[in-house]
Amino acid sequence: MIATKGYAAPTATETLSAFDFERREVGPHDVRFEILYCGVCHSDIHQARNEWGNTIYPVVPGHEIVGRVTEVGAHVSKFSMGDLVAVGCLVGSCRECDNCKKGLEQYCRVESVYTYNSEDKISGGVTYGGYSNQIVVDENYVLKVSDKLPLAGVAPLLCAGITTYSPLRHWKVGKRHRVAVVGLGGLGHMAVKFAASFGAEVTMLSRSAEKEEDAKKLGASHFVLTKDPEQVKKINKSFDFIVNTVSAPHDYNMYLNMLDTDGLMICVGAPPTPMQIMGFGLLGERRSIAGSGIGGIPETQEMLDYCAEHNITSEVEIIPMDYINDAYERMLKSDVKYRFVIDMATL
Ligand code: NAP
Ligand code: ZN
Ligand code: ZN
């Protein structure tokens, strides 16, 4: 076993603290790498605090991981020592089912194995995430990273990036589409960047007036302060798509009313409690509501390559490992521009 240092939440109500644990030995198909940066996703908070009701403790969060390869198994063909690599939310799936064969490993019929808080199918026990100095992952779930982009800004692409890229591609969002993004946080700022990059006219819907200037720099043409009923009234029936990234319980109906005929609200946020939806909000304009979970491995690589080609990275605030509990509190106050990324050299 490989002695590893990390940070874990010991229970749902305690803050995160230093935690030593062991990774499995590098198997024939495994890649081991030193973690250089790890992004901080709101899903880390949901799970550290057991807000989805399925956390196994201690939990080592972190699924926006970039680093450099330090060891490869005997049968590894895609990676060599010293390569820049990344791992997102997935470290395993059955590889046999129709969805796995289509590259939709996040919808594996048998079981998607998540980077943390999942049963480790290879070594037993639980998977531990990227708030740690190294990780061992099956090469099929390891991504290649270009050396053209700043690495800290690449880390959040592994979750915030792919989670917004994937539905925009799936629903073929592009030129002539009017797209609104709800919530300017980690996912929201990537949704704005991608939608603008694909040619859509983007409107930012935010409760935070001070984010207007940034939203426009990120690629939004318009900014609507959702706390102001006058501004909200003016955008009734205005959008073809809404990407809803909100992490907390909120009123979906207000946003549904902003969709034009045949409009679609894509929900990627995962609030801990169910939301109520008025039938009239859907039937009036033949509107739809859909969800989307992260993205599969081939599409994640496609997204990373697209970002390298188009010079797209996340806007980050780099933090030391021991700042993580403060970072969580600031995220809960929407005080992050626009992703915290842990510099793992500080662990
Ligand atoms: P984040 O950085 O904390 O951003 C969330 C943003 O939502 C906030 O910045 C805020 O933006 C807005 N917001 C927060 N509370 C709100 C409320 N009560 N009403 C309206 N707006 C509110 O979080 P994130 O990392 O982007 O994650 C967002 C959500 O996506 C989380 O629930 C996370 O678990 C989920 N997620 C899902 C997937 C997936 O596969 N679908 C993948 C990753 C994450 P403003 O200040 O602009 O209002
Ligand atoms: Zn995430
Ligand atoms: Zn499968």
Side-chain angles (χ1 to χ4, degrees):
M1 300 298 262
I2 301 170
T4 302
K5 289 201 307 180
Y7 247 60
T11 65
T13 50
E14 284 172 276
T15 54
L16 279 75
S17 52
F19 173 65
D20 292 335
F21 61 100
E22 289 180 330
R23 300 271 187 204
R24 66 171 183 256
E25 289 295 342
V26 175
H29 299 284
D30 284 337
V31 172
R32 168 179 173 181
F33 65 92
E34 176 197 5
I35 299 176
L36 299 174
Y37 294 101
C38 182
V40 180
C41 178
H42 207 112
S43 302
D44 299 349
I45 305 181
H46 290 312
Q47 290 179 87
R49 299 183 178 187
N50 200 23
E51 289 173 358
W52 295 337
N54 66 349
T55 306
I56 305 158
Y57 292 97
V59 61
V60 178
H63 56 208
E64 296 183 334
I65 308 169
V66 291
R68 199 175 279 286
V69 174
T70 50
E71 188 177 349
V72 291
H75 296 158
V76 168
S77 56
K78 292 184 236 159
F79 301 96
S80 319
M81 290 278 286
D83 285 356
L84 285 177
V85 291
V87 165
C89 303
L90 288 169
V91 292
S93 64
C94 85
R95 311 198 59 72
E96 301 288 331
C97 74
D98 56 338
N99 277 345
C100 279
K101 288 200 165 132
K102 280 189 265 184
L104 296 172
E105 297 90 344
Q106 77 275 36
Y107 307 128
C108 174
R109 306 278 182 199
V110 181
E111 197 180 331
S112 306
V113 182
Y114 297 105
T115 304
Y116 65 88
N117 196 34
S118 256
E119 187 192 333
D120 190 325
K121 301 284 179 200
I122 299 176
S123 59
V126 176
T127 55
Y128 290 127
Y131 296 3
S132 57
N133 61 344
Q134 59 184 335
I135 193 163
V136 176
V137 178
D138 178 330
E139 71 167 327
N140 290 303
Y141 302 86
V142 179
L143 290 310
K144 290 178 194 290
V145 171
S146 158
D147 58 7
K148 283 193 212 144
L149 297 174
L151 262 194
V154 170
L157 301 178
L158 277 299
C159 179
I162 184 61
T163 301
T164 49
Y165 180 95
S166 181
L168 292 170
R169 284 303 200 207
H170 178 73
W171 279 287
K172 301 186 170 44
V173 173
K175 292 193 177 59
R176 292 184 300 281
H177 285 135
R178 299 159 298 166
V179 176
V181 176
V182 192
L184 189 47
L187 269 58
H189 91 291
M190 292 312 305
V192 171
K193 285 193 179 202
F194 285 131
S197 170
F198 300 162
E201 180 184 342
V202 182
T203 300
M204 185 70 231
L205 306 176
S206 170
R207 305 162 306 164
S208 310
E210 69 283 0
K211 293 182 184 173
E212 176 164 1
E213 204 185 316
D214 285 347
K216 292 190 170 156
K217 276 192 216 147
L218 293 164
S221 306
H222 316 282
F223 181 93
V224 172
L225 187 61
T226 50
K227 286 191 297 201
D228 178 351
E230 286 308 309
Q231 292 192 37
V232 169
K233 218 187 283 172
K234 283 191 202 141
I235 52 165
N236 202 21
K237 302 185 187 175
S238 299
F239 305 116
D240 303 304
F241 295 97
I242 295 177
V243 182
N244 185 335
T245 75
V246 176
S247 50
H250 63 288
D251 179 15
Y252 276 32
N253 300 293
M254 177 175 89
Y255 300 108
L256 281 176
N257 288 331
M258 298 175 186
L259 287 171
D260 203 352
T261 310
D262 287 331
L264 172 70
M265 178 156 80
I266 304 161
C267 297
V268 288
T273 50
M275 244 70 65
Q276 289 194 322
I277 291 170
M278 276 295 287
F280 287 109
L282 290 172
L283 63 88
E285 298 294 328
R286 199 165 56 192
R287 298 173 176 123
S288 316
I289 186 163
S292 184
I294 49 174
I297 298 299
E299 195 176 38
T300 305
Q301 189 64 61
E302 175 193 307
M303 179 271 315
L304 287 170
D305 297 346
Y306 181 89
C307 289
E309 194 182 323
H310 296 267
N311 201 21
I312 294 174
T313 50
S314 173
E315 305 301 310
V316 301
E317 178 177 337
I318 298 176
I319 58 169
M321 187 69 253
D322 64 6
Y323 188 72
I324 190 68
N325 296 302
D326 298 301
Y328 279 10
E329 291 310 316
R330 281 182 53 196
M331 280 171 78
L332 291 167
K333 288 188 246 157
S334 299
D335 176 21
V336 50
K337 288 182 173 174
Y338 281 89
R339 197 55 138 190
F340 290 115
V341 171
I342 306 158
D343 176 354
M344 269 320 149
T346 63
L347 180 63

